[in-house]
Amino acid sequence: MQPDREQRLVGACGLVAFGAQNAVAVFCPEAAQILTTLPGHKASVNCTFWLPNSKFAFKAKHLEDHYLLSGDADGAMILWEYSLLDCKWTHIMQLPKSHKKGVTCITGVIISPTDALVASTSSDSTVNIWEVAFPSTSGGKCNFTLLESIHVGLKPMVALSLAELPGDAGKIVLAMGGLDNKVHMYCGERSGKFVRTCELKGHTDWIRSLDFSLPILTDGEPDSIFLVSSSQDKGIRIWKMTDRNSPASTKGTYKKEEMSLSSYIEGPLLIAGSCCYQISLESLLIGHEDWVYSVVWQPPLVFSTLATTYHQPLSILSASMDKTMMIWKPEKTTGIWMNVVSVGELSHCALGFYGGHWSPNGDSILAHGYGGSFHLWRNVGGGFDDWQPQRIPSGHFASVSDISWARCGEYILSVSHDQTTRVFAPWKNEASLQKLDPWHEIARPQVHGHDINCVAIIKGKGNHRFVCGADEKVSRVFEAPLSFLKTLSHASLCAISFAEDDQLGTQVLGANMSALGLSQKPIYVQAANGTPDRNSNDGFDTLETIPDAVPVVLTEPPVEEQLAWHTLWPETHKLYGHGNELFSLCCDHEGKLVASSCKAQSAPVAEIWLWQVGSWKAVGRLHSHSLTVTQMEFSHDNKMLLAVSRDRQFSVFSIDRRGSEEVSYHLLARQEAHKRIIWTCSWNPFGQEFATGSRDKTVKIWAVVAESTVKHVTTLPQFGSSVTALSWVGLDRLKNVGLLAVGMENGLIELWNLSAKGGEITEIPELTVSLAVRLDLLMCHVSSVNRLAWRDSEKSADCRSMQLASCGADHCVRIFEVDVD
């Protein structure tokens, strides 16, 4: 799972919250693991805001609970509570809906240990001001009150920042910027009543980000405050607001300040009650080469345990679409702001950063990218800047359409409409106190130009291979390179039992991709040791040539730059035949046949193709359905192929191999099984029974009787939503006992006990069904479950503990540990 393209923030507790489709995901940068997802929104989550965030952590050290606000594309805002004692999350309330369109930004200021103000803006051209009352006693509730709604005209605001004005307790300043290229300044009180006072001009394009510093102390007294703004004009502006009535402004030292550049670029006056603040342009920062999406001040440094004294570092972090983040600081002698640190993503396929954030103590910086990726750097230098990339959670940033376990279950492969294929595996040699091995993305075998719809891993002997189908008429076959095989051995801490079959015969180290092509070309071991000559234009990239990948053996979980470019698998074959976009794939359990289907609206196009693994020749075209075949699965004895379709029918084909090249087949049965589209199917591993799931919210169990007919056995109680995914796993072969995992369109997952008793092969078995467990809401998806897949229990060391994988439209791949009593 990866973040959508919206604001996400680091809290005072050190956790990061971000929007992942209709859920709020929370991860820990230290462990590089997603901790939980919070369901509740009915639309895509656009922004999140912590109370307290890292800027105001020193004012809220007494709080036993921290709070998180999230806003979505429907205008809804939800308040969550995070307990620091037991690390549990609670849905507190949904704020009264005050925005008619999507919430685009949330900001806030902690006024006292018990009070805060929050501002939210929306595409409906309104800015709402909320009063927050933190609980004064343990176990109390956090209360929100809408104080004021400000209409900002025809051009919406997209960036907000709140701050307390120095020198006059109770006065609050609100800066907002948006589509009119101006920064609008409002002044109000804790009770609201915000009045527009002035506007700051200078930017020539949309304002993308605003952030106030904490008040700057002079002789122990706050007298000024900084505002930093960034824009699509590629520039960053620092504005200084100085209290003209402060003692510092009347001292002799002020004469020296008058000689600075800012004294000649004085801006408007901000009147706040009896106080007057002079606004001047402190500095204009030019360094980025594309839109600057985010600017943020470094969190304050606290000098006492009582948190009464703080220091606001004059340090700004900026993030841009030019793929870089920069840290800006004033030069010690001249005071001129300079870029002192630059970090970035050098991958050819990266498209820039949407935002950057500091860690609470300022030693780490986090960026989120256009393609949904996180990037984390930590300063590991002692007394000097040495920012090094760190591991971070990664995942898909669009609907995950299909998953498939490796033949021995050592990793799982997922494909998505984000046009990538990814490999996730537990990294066993990572020092961890966790009970379970942490999972990481260890490879990205395919970066494609079309949405990928289906995948099937070849289960037979030999090297790791898979077939995938996308929104194109061709299936593509990929084979693992040598670099992946060695990386997998590091991750699994095994001596690679498949060395004889795979490594000795693998002469491909990795793969490259042309910028204008969809195919991934192999990098051979001999060529990798020589001098690359693919790019002969003195290192300058053109549209036709891009930098060579550098496949390496990974000894620790990789970072985004390595994944995005250096872990590709070479494409070995293309399978032509279908007339429309590929929709479904499956492989038999011996790794000898692959079945494929495509999107179809007529019987001739809805045929199923059979492909011989190895030669990759088409050995069969199965006709039965009139609309798209949505899923297929081979029986566990490989003698039958089950297919379900949009035409509400299922088909069972008899498959007979008469040698290494010849395959015979015939239609065994076809039946209209449901009243609506059949989305999914699954075979019983220990018998001739199979299950079908449909949009009509039912799951039906069928049995192949006398190897010639199919009979209905039973129907599970009707579910609350369309059934979109099924997976049947066997528990006891002698007793024919198993578990059926059921995934639904609303994201919920249930496990059902199934037990077949007695009966000859010519009789309909007696089947006992019972609900085993409904997975907790916090564990489930928030959108449609697209696929479920059990790890092969017969190849697992402990059959009492199994793993279930799921993927869904909420961009998530989830791995569940299921203990069977």
Side-chain angles (χ1 to χ4, degrees):
M1 165 180 37
Q2 286 289 64
D4 299 323
R5 302 170 189 172
E6 79 292 308
Q7 173 193 16
R8 51 202 59 77
L9 289 175
V10 182
C13 55
L15 301 181
V16 178
F18 63 92
Q21 213 239 4
N22 294 0
V24 178
V26 181
F27 83 85
C28 175
E30 294 297 327
Q33 294 289 306
I34 302 285
L35 301 181
T36 188
T37 54
L38 308 175
H41 286 281
K42 297 180 181 179
S44 179
V45 177
N46 286 339
C47 50
T48 60
F49 185 78
W50 284 93
L51 286 170
N53 60 359
S54 54
K55 181 190 293 186
F56 297 103
F58 69 97
K59 284 190 176 183
K61 288 191 173 183
H62 70 287
L63 290 178
E64 297 179 354
D65 302 312
H66 285 201
Y67 299 91
L68 178 68
L69 271 173
S70 56
D72 67 25
D74 279 348
M77 294 173 62
I78 294 180
L79 178 66
W80 312 87
E81 180 184 84
Y82 175 65
S83 172
L84 299 178
L85 298 178
D86 54 14
C87 300
K88 290 185 178 180
W89 285 89
T90 306
H91 180 291
I92 299 299
M93 64 174 173
Q94 179 169 327
L95 273 61
K97 192 168 182 180
S98 55
H99 290 297
K100 297 178 181 178
K101 294 184 179 180
V103 181
T104 55
C105 180
I106 303 173
T107 189
V109 55
I110 305 293
I111 299 173
S112 71
T114 58
D115 299 295
L117 280 185
V118 167
S120 61
T121 185
S122 166
S123 302
D124 62 5
S125 298
T126 61
V127 175
N128 290 334
I129 311 297
W130 306 81
E131 182 184 30
V132 185
F134 295 120
S136 56
T137 59
S138 179
K141 292 185 178 180
C142 182
N143 294 318
F144 266 71
T145 305
L146 179 61
L147 296 179
E148 187 176 2
S149 185
I150 304 172
H151 185 72
V152 296
L154 298 178
K155 296 185 176 181
M157 298 292 114
V158 296
L160 300 174
S161 187
L162 277 169
E164 280 189 284
L165 285 171
D168 188 0
K171 295 297 183 181
I172 308 296
V173 61
L174 168 64
M176 59 178 74
L179 280 57
D180 62 357
N181 310 344
K182 303 173 185 176
V183 179
H184 301 271
M185 307 296 289
Y186 285 74
C187 187
E189 301 176 352
R190 297 185 183 185
S191 58
K193 301 177 182 179
F194 278 79
V195 178
R196 182 177 175 181
T197 59
C198 63
E199 60 185 31
L200 308 180
K201 300 178 181 179
H203 287 294
T204 58
D205 209 333
W206 291 3
I207 309 296
R208 300 306 311 198
S209 181
L210 295 167
D211 190 36
F212 277 111
S213 70
L214 290 176
I216 305 301
L217 303 178
T218 302
D219 296 333
E221 294 294 330
D223 74 316
S224 61
I225 190 171
F226 286 106
L227 171 67
V228 61
S229 60
S230 69
S231 167
Q232 292 180 182
D233 63 9
K234 309 176 187 177
I236 300 169
R237 291 174 178 261
I238 304 175
W239 311 86
K240 185 176 182 180
M241 300 171 56
T242 304
D243 185 358
R244 300 185 71 173
N245 300 323
S246 67
S249 65
T250 61
K251 292 184 179 180
T253 55
Y254 185 71
K255 298 297 182 181
K256 295 182 180 180
E257 293 181 8
E258 287 183 346
M259 301 304 294
S260 68
L261 180 63
S262 63
S263 64
Y264 296 98
I265 319 177
E266 290 186 350
L269 294 176
L270 186 144
I271 307 299
S274 60
C275 294
C276 180
Y277 295 85
Q278 176 68 60
I279 303 178
S280 58
L281 180 62
E282 173 75 10
S283 185
L284 172 62
L285 310 183
I286 302 296
H288 287 292
E289 299 176 356
D290 209 332
W291 297 355
V292 184
Y293 259 92
S294 170
V295 282
V296 60
W297 290 94
Q298 182 177 337
L301 304 176
V302 180
F303 294 122
S304 68
T305 56
L306 298 177
T308 57
T309 306
Y310 69 86
H311 168 65
Q312 171 65 67
L314 294 182
S315 179
I316 295 172
L317 175 67
S318 62
S320 169
M321 289 297 287
D322 65 3
K323 310 178 189 178
T324 65
M325 284 205 304
M326 296 182 179
I327 297 177
W328 306 82
K329 293 182 180 180
E331 206 271 335
K332 291 183 179 179
T333 55
T334 64
I336 297 176
W337 286 77
M338 305 288 291
N339 168 28
V340 296
V341 174
S342 293
V343 296
E345 175 58 70
L346 301 178
S347 171
H348 187 81
C349 51
L351 294 176
F353 294 144
Y354 265 112
H357 302 283
W358 294 92
S359 64
N361 59 6
D363 68 344
S364 299
I365 53 178
L366 175 72
H368 52 90
Y370 179 91
S373 57
F374 278 124
H375 307 262
L376 178 68
W377 288 270
R378 178 171 287 114
N379 188 4
V380 297
F384 62 95
D385 286 326
D386 183 13
W387 296 84
Q388 295 297 322
Q390 307 293 312
R391 64 182 187 192
I392 204 75
S394 64
H396 294 284
F397 61 94
S399 175
V400 186
S401 48
D402 203 357
I403 50 177
S404 182
W405 284 98
R407 60 174 180 254
C408 296
E410 59 267 53
Y411 62 84
I412 191 168
L413 189 74
S414 62
V415 296
S416 166
H417 290 170
D418 67 6
Q419 305 182 353
T420 65
T421 300
R422 305 182 188 229
V423 173
F424 298 93
W427 200 276
K428 296 182 180 297
N429 66 352
E430 182 180 341
S432 175
L433 299 178
Q434 301 177 26
K435 177 182 177 182
L436 302 176
D437 295 315
W439 284 69
H440 295 279
E441 183 181 353
I442 66 170
R444 201 166 296 172
Q446 184 185 15
V447 178
H448 203 38
H450 297 288
D451 294 359
I452 307 176
N453 300 322
C454 50
V455 68
I457 286 183
I458 307 303
K459 301 293 186 180
K461 296 180 179 180
N463 195 5
H464 297 259
R465 291 171 292 178
F466 70 87
V467 186
C468 76
D471 279 344
E472 55 180 345
K473 301 175 183 179
V474 56
S475 302
R476 299 174 185 269
V477 184
F478 296 84
E479 184 168 338
L482 186 61
S483 59
F484 172 79
L485 300 179
K486 292 183 177 180
T487 296
L488 187 62
S489 69
H490 282 287
S492 59
L493 278 184
C494 64
I496 313 184
S497 59
F498 44 85
E500 294 183 2
D501 294 333
D502 301 338
Q503 285 204 63
L504 296 181
T506 301
Q507 297 300 316
V508 176
L509 186 62
N512 271 317
M513 174 176 283
S514 169
L516 296 182
L518 297 174
S519 298
Q520 296 172 189
K521 305 300 182 183
I523 300 174
Y524 292 97
V525 175
Q526 297 86 346
N529 294 330
T531 302
D533 59 356
R534 198 162 71 101
N535 294 338
S536 57
N537 53 353
D538 297 327
F540 293 98
D541 298 342
T542 67
L543 289 176
E544 291 76 24
T545 60
I546 52 180
D548 282 304
V550 184
V552 294
V553 179
L554 302 171
T555 57
E556 59 183 14
V559 295
E560 177 66 24
E561 184 176 350
Q562 294 170 311
L563 288 168
W565 199 241
H566 303 303
T567 59
L568 296 172
W569 290 19
E571 180 183 311
T572 59
H573 294 85
K574 293 183 178 70
L575 309 182
Y576 295 95
H578 287 289
N580 285 333
E581 297 90 342
L582 270 294
F583 194 85
S584 179
L585 284 165
C586 73
C587 179
D588 70 356
H589 301 277
E590 293 180 352
K592 295 181 179 179
L593 282 180
V594 169
S596 63
S597 69
C598 71
K599 297 178 182 179
Q601 294 183 338
S602 63
V605 183
E607 61 187 357
I608 299 170
W609 285 60
L610 294 179
W611 308 88
Q612 187 84 41
V613 174
S615 66
W616 298 110
K617 295 179 180 179
V619 294
R621 298 168 67 175
L622 284 58
H623 297 269
S624 178
H625 295 284
S626 57
L627 294 175
T628 304
V629 174
T630 55
Q631 190 177 356
M632 302 170 290
E633 186 173 308
F634 283 93
S635 62
H636 286 256
D637 59 6
N638 298 313
K639 293 181 179 180
M640 289 178 285
L641 174 65
L642 170 64
V644 294
S645 169
R646 285 180 175 268
D647 62 11
R648 309 175 187 179
Q649 298 180 333
F650 69 75
S651 299
V652 180
F653 298 90
S654 174
I655 307 295
D656 183 22
R657 299 185 186 86
R658 298 180 179 178
S660 58
E661 297 293 334
E662 296 185 13
V663 177
S664 64
Y665 49 88
H666 68 273
L667 180 63
L668 198 65
R670 180 178 63 216
Q671 186 170 334
E672 184 168 337
H674 292 269
K675 298 178 181 179
R676 304 290 298 276
I677 293 172
I678 307 177
W679 284 122
T680 181
C681 61
S682 186
W683 282 98
N684 176 9
F686 299 152
Q688 301 295 311
E689 299 84 22
F690 61 87
T692 57
S694 166
R695 181 179 281 176
D696 64 11
K697 304 179 183 180
T698 62
V699 173
K700 296 184 178 181
I701 311 297
W702 312 80
V704 179
V705 180
E707 298 186 354
S708 59
T709 58
V710 175
K711 298 293 184 181
H712 178 245
V713 178
T714 188
T715 301
L716 272 61
Q718 188 162 7
F719 294 88
S721 183
S722 301
V723 177
T724 55
L726 294 172
S727 186
W728 197 330
V729 65
L731 299 179
D732 190 324
R733 182 179 293 274
L734 295 178
K735 297 180 180 180
N736 199 359
V737 174
L739 269 179
L740 179 66
V742 181
M744 288 169 271
E745 191 175 34
N746 59 11
L748 300 183
I749 298 175
E750 297 182 1
L751 302 182
W752 286 76
N753 289 312
L754 300 179
S755 177
K757 295 184 179 179
E760 299 292 334
I761 194 172
T762 58
E763 299 177 356
I764 300 176
E766 179 184 347
L767 196 68
T768 302
V769 300
S770 62
L771 177 64
V773 65
R774 287 189 177 95
L775 270 62
D776 186 86
L777 282 175
L778 292 178
M779 300 173 64
C780 292
H781 296 269
V782 295
S783 294
S784 178
V785 180
N786 289 335
R787 192 74 76 231
L788 292 167
W790 290 96
R791 190 176 184 177
D792 194 336
S793 60
E794 293 186 350
K795 296 177 181 178
S796 176
D798 182 9
C799 292
R800 297 293 93 184
S801 179
M802 299 179 300
Q803 290 181 338
L804 171 68
S806 67
C807 68
D810 60 355
H811 314 174
C812 292
V813 176
R814 298 172 183 261
I815 311 292
F816 302 97
E817 191 81 12
V818 180
D819 295 327
V820 182
D821 296 330

